[in-house]
Amino acid sequence: MTSSTWIIDFESYQIDSDFYPLEICILNVCTGKSFLFYVKYPYNYLNSNETLETLRYQYRRHRLHWDDGDQCIHSTVIKLKKIIANYSASNIKIYVKGEQKHKLVSHWFAAPSSTNTFNVIDIGANAPRFTALKHLCARAACAKHAHNLELFCARRKCYQLLPFIKFAEIVTTTHSSEDKITNNINSETDNVSSQTDVPHETCGDEQIKTNIGRKTLTQRIFAYMHMLYIIIRNRLHA
């Protein structure tokens, strides 16, 4: 796991099929450092009473006003991309939760870069719904949400996702290492069998693969236990 792995989450308004993020958080998985941005939009977007009523309903979720921010979405995306690029190596992984967020964040990072490659990943069902986690990581909430755990906060959600992203990274790394070792074993076994007339039925390569599988399973169990420990610890200190 490197500093090139990030989590992005946001709280937004939705008008028809369009999303308007008002609070955006980016969190570095390796360092645990986060950056928070507040976005504002012009009032000419609000062109009907039906739209205003929709926003009033969504306001109850996060209590963020349409003009709470200090910069437009275009400037915000430029800033967060610059921060991510400065902290990271060339191959950057960005985790989000949810199909719509994946679509929007992928659009932000779709422009080609001469130095960075961005891979946006939806953690999806590998992490619980935010409604099941919203009372965890209370201390990570921003100032706008610090005194009300019923409200959704982009920064708190990033920290709620953190143990699940770490677990996903460990499993991914383990699978990659397992594949490389297995390929090396197969290659060595093929070399041995090509250099001898003795059938290699008793070479023991299947037993070696079994031992590798046991080792990676143990690593996954420890990673899962660590994830549970973080969740329980946060719940106790909330």
Side-chain angles (χ1 to χ4, degrees), residues 63 134 141 144-153 156:
R63 301 289 173 85
K134 68 178 182 179
K144 292 180 181 292
H145 302 108
H147 303 296
N148 193 334
L149 292 178
E150 293 300 321
L151 301 181
F152 286 84
C153 170
R156 185 163 64 221

Side-chain angles (χ1 to χ4, degrees), residues 2 80 83 119 164 215 219 224 226:
T2 70
L80 68 86
I83 290 173
N119 181 22
F164 300 98
K215 182 178 179 181
Q219 290 173 335
Y224 185 70
H226 179 67

